[in-house]
Amino acid sequence: MSLVTGRTFKVKARASSQYHQEFWSDELSHAEMLYNSADELLNLVVDQGVRYTELEYINALSLLHRSQTGVGDQTVQNVRLQRLKEIICEQAAIKQATKDKKITTV
């Protein structure tokens, strides 16, 4: 009985450890967004594609905007948020076109 319990414990411990590694890995990669300026972040989305949800990008852009000194103009932030939505739509269209192309060529 203790042999089975011991194995179960090891499996649960390994699964828990893997979960925590994935969680912290995700958290670190989310934090990497904040190492850029707001405009650099938009360029990264264009270059690397969409890696996070739109809400996560909006939150990062808002935080970056608020953390810049002397940038209190809400119009600039609204333009960036609109550009983000455009980029995400463009990326989704590219992804769908690629998927459609694979379907038609098969």
Side-chain angles (χ1 to χ4, degrees):
M1 182 73 172
S2 65
L3 182 60
V4 173
T5 306
R7 284 187 189 162
T8 304
F9 175 76
K10 287 179 184 178
V11 170
K12 286 182 180 178
R14 191 175 350 184
S16 176
S17 174
Q18 184 178 5
Y19 167 78
H20 288 294
Q21 286 175 336
E22 290 173 5
F23 174 79
W24 286 112
S25 174
D26 288 346
E27 288 298 313
L28 290 175
S29 59
H30 280 80
E32 290 172 0
M33 287 193 287
L34 303 177
Y35 291 126
N36 301 288
S37 70
D39 293 326
E40 289 171 341
L41 179 58
L42 292 174
N43 290 333
L44 283 174
V45 178
V46 171
D47 295 341
Q48 297 178 356
V50 177
R51 295 173 48 193
Y52 307 104
T53 66
E54 183 176 357
L55 181 60
E56 290 169 322
Y57 283 117
I58 289 170
N59 288 338
L61 283 173
S62 297
L63 183 60
L64 290 168
H65 179 76
R66 288 192 311 263
S67 67
Q68 288 179 328
T69 56
V71 183
D73 189 8
Q74 188 60 38
T75 305
V76 173
Q77 178 65 356
N78 291 339
V79 168
R80 285 188 181 125
L81 292 173
Q82 182 59 40
R83 178 66 184 132
L84 172 66
K85 290 178 188 224
E86 292 169 1
I87 292 168
I88 290 173
C89 287
E90 290 168 5
Q91 293 286 328
I94 291 169
K95 187 175 183 178
Q96 185 62 43
T98 303
K99 191 183 289 186
D100 291 345
K101 187 176 181 180
K102 286 180 184 177
I103 292 171
T104 58
T105 57
V106 173

